[in-house]
């Protein structure tokens, strides 16, 4: 059985990663309220469905993408149940076809491992090497559900606060595409 904790409105007592600590400290500094749960490692879509039910929201899917030369990087945030089509994404941005970035780049650039990609990785992207791209459908949602930088911590935050408070704080201007 997949474990999901009670819902908390404060940071964990211990941090598992540098990114997770930076995430909660930044939310506290910006006074952005959140709800969170701790879980077993979420691996399957069924795990995510259970987290969605517990927190009464829909988790986003965050993909780390790059061009063939690995010189352009994208953090694409879309609906969890929406299939990803590289051609549609590339066409929407007017760029060459992209693919998934290698796991070692994900760990180095995002501070996460596969399954834990999150918009909060922008905290580590001081040089704005990663372009943050939102699927238009996500912008319309009241709640933004995502990883806290681990595969065992998930959060619920107002989408407007991610767009209008967090991203300006980290000096990232998102692109919004319809795919």
């Amino acid at each position: 059985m997949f474990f999901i904790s009670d819902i908390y409105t404060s940071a964990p007592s211990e941090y598992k990663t540098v990114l997770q600590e930076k995430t909660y400290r930044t939310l506290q500094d910006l006074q952005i309220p959140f709800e969170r749960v701790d879980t077993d490692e979420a691996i399957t879509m069924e795990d995510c469905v259970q987290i969605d039910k517990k927190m009464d929201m829909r988790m986003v899917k965050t993909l780390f993408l790059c061009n063939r030369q690995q010189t352009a990087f994208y953090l694409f945030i879309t609906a969890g149940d929406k299939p990803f089509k590289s051609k549609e994404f590339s066409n929407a941005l007017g760029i060459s076809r992209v693919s998934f970035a290698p796991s070692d780049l994900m760990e180095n650039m995002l501070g996460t491992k596969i399954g834990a990609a999150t918009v909060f990785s922008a905290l580590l992207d001081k040089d704005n090497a990663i372009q943050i791209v939102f699927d238009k459908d996500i912008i319309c949602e009241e709640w933004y559900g995502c990883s806290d930088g681990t595969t065992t911590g998930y959060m619920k935050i107002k989408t407007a606060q991610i767009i209008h408070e967090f991203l300006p704080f980290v000096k990232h201007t998102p692109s919004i595409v319809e795919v």
Side-chain angles (χ1 to χ4, degrees), residues 8-128:
Y8 303 105
T9 56
S10 61
S13 56
E14 293 181 27
Y15 299 108
K16 296 179 180 177
T17 67
V18 169
L19 177 59
Q20 185 187 42
E21 181 175 1
K22 284 181 178 269
T23 296
Y24 287 107
R25 292 201 189 281
T26 300
L27 292 174
Q28 181 180 8
D29 290 348
L30 295 176
Q31 298 180 11
I32 296 176
F34 60 86
E35 293 180 359
R36 72 171 182 86
V37 294
D38 295 320
T39 67
D40 288 334
E41 190 166 52
I43 298 170
T44 67
M45 284 308 296
E46 179 56 36
D47 296 340
C48 292
V49 168
Q50 289 182 53
I51 296 167
D52 288 355
K53 285 180 185 175
K54 177 81 173 192
M55 298 191 75
D56 191 26
M57 53 117 196
R58 290 184 344 153
M59 187 93 53
V60 300
K61 176 171 32 181
T62 305
L63 306 173
F64 185 45
L65 308 167
C66 66
N67 62 358
R68 187 177 356 170
Q69 299 81 11
Q70 297 181 3
T71 57
F73 299 94
Y74 307 89
L75 200 60
F76 180 47
I77 300 152
T78 188
D81 59 353
K82 195 173 197 177
F84 173 68
K85 296 181 179 164
S86 176
K87 183 178 180 179
E88 288 179 15
F89 175 83
S90 298
N91 287 345
L93 281 178
I95 59 173
S96 298
R97 184 82 60 100
V98 297
S99 60
F100 293 101
S103 61
D104 62 322
L105 284 178
M106 184 174 209
E107 289 181 30
N108 291 336
M109 295 178 76
L110 301 184
T112 62
K113 63 181 189 175
I114 292 174
T118 179
V119 70
F120 295 113
S121 290
L123 288 162
L124 304 177
D125 184 29
K126 302 293 186 200
D127 298 327
N128 281 19

Side-chain angles (χ1 to χ4, degrees), residues 159-169:
T159 303
Q161 290 186 292
I162 294 292
I163 303 296
H164 302 296
E165 295 175 45
F166 173 73
L167 288 173
F169 174 78

